Amino acid sequence: VQLQASGGGLVQAGDSLRLSCAASGLTVSGYHMGWFRQAPGKDREFVAAHTRGGRIYYADDVKGRFTISRDNAKNTLTLQMNSLKSEDTAVYYCTVRNGLRVGYEYSVFGNYDYRGQGTQVTVSS
């Protein structure tokens, strides 16, 4: 299984970025999917999740600015990030969890089965 995240970069506060995660070795339609991020010196934190059944969850500090979506036909997960702030600076990781497993907690990184290598997002103020 591979999760290839892309789309990160250096932008200014207020700009937008679109992150993509291409999955191979699995069919994402059977998986819950999520984005997490980790800033230097900080713990990894939940950003957004899109469940196998179509429910969507966001961290409070990205609600209204970020949009998570998935394309099961293309086996991809996307995170549209608008109105970026300096505090959004982090490495962003996409993650997947088998949708048939019980006990799913969308905001817990350890709940996911696989993660990608991460893509760096840097927002200058």
Side-chain angles (χ1 to χ4, degrees), residues 29-32 51-53 55 95-106 108-115:
S29 61
Y31 286 76
H32 306 308
T51 73
R52 179 174 175 249
R55 285 175 290 180
T95 56
V96 298
R97 173 188 168 97
N98 189 314
L100 297 179
R101 289 176 57 198
V102 298
Y104 175 52
E105 296 182 43
Y106 62 85
V108 178
F109 186 78
N111 248 229
Y112 291 83
D113 300 322
Y114 304 100
R115 73 165 190 184

Side-chain angles (χ1 to χ4, degrees), residues 82-123:
N82 299 329
S83 303
L84 283 162
K85 305 175 182 179
S86 57
E87 49 263 45
D88 295 318
T89 294
V91 177
Y92 285 69
Y93 299 91
C94 62
T95 56
V96 298
R97 173 188 168 97
N98 189 314
L100 297 179
R101 289 176 57 198
V102 298
Y104 175 52
E105 296 182 43
Y106 62 85
S107 65
V108 178
F109 186 78
N111 248 229
Y112 291 83
D113 300 322
Y114 304 100
R115 73 165 190 184
Q117 86 290 355
T119 185
Q120 176 70 48
V121 172
T122 304
V123 184

Side-chain angles (χ1 to χ4, degrees), residues 26-112:
L26 56 82
T27 302
V28 301
S29 61
Y31 286 76
H32 306 308
M33 305 185 78
W35 288 99
F36 288 76
R37 67 186 181 186
Q38 188 166 20
K42 295 187 177 181
D43 292 334
R44 187 181 298 111
E45 63 178 6
F46 167 73
V47 176
H50 195 304
T51 73
R52 179 174 175 249
R55 285 175 290 180
I56 291 175
Y57 303 94
Y58 295 103
D60 287 342
D61 57 354
V62 306
K63 274 181 190 174
R65 299 189 297 121
F66 290 11
T67 302
I68 188 172
S69 60
R70 62 193 290 166
D71 188 329
N72 289 338
K74 294 183 178 179
N75 239 29
T76 58
L77 178 71
T78 299
L79 185 68
Q80 177 67 43
M81 306 186 295
N82 299 329
S83 303
L84 283 162
K85 305 175 182 179
S86 57
E87 49 263 45
D88 295 318
T89 294
V91 177
Y92 285 69
Y93 299 91
C94 62
T95 56
V96 298
R97 173 188 168 97
N98 189 314
L100 297 179
R101 289 176 57 198
V102 298
Y104 175 52
E105 296 182 43
Y106 62 85
S107 65
V108 178
F109 186 78
N111 248 229
Y112 291 83

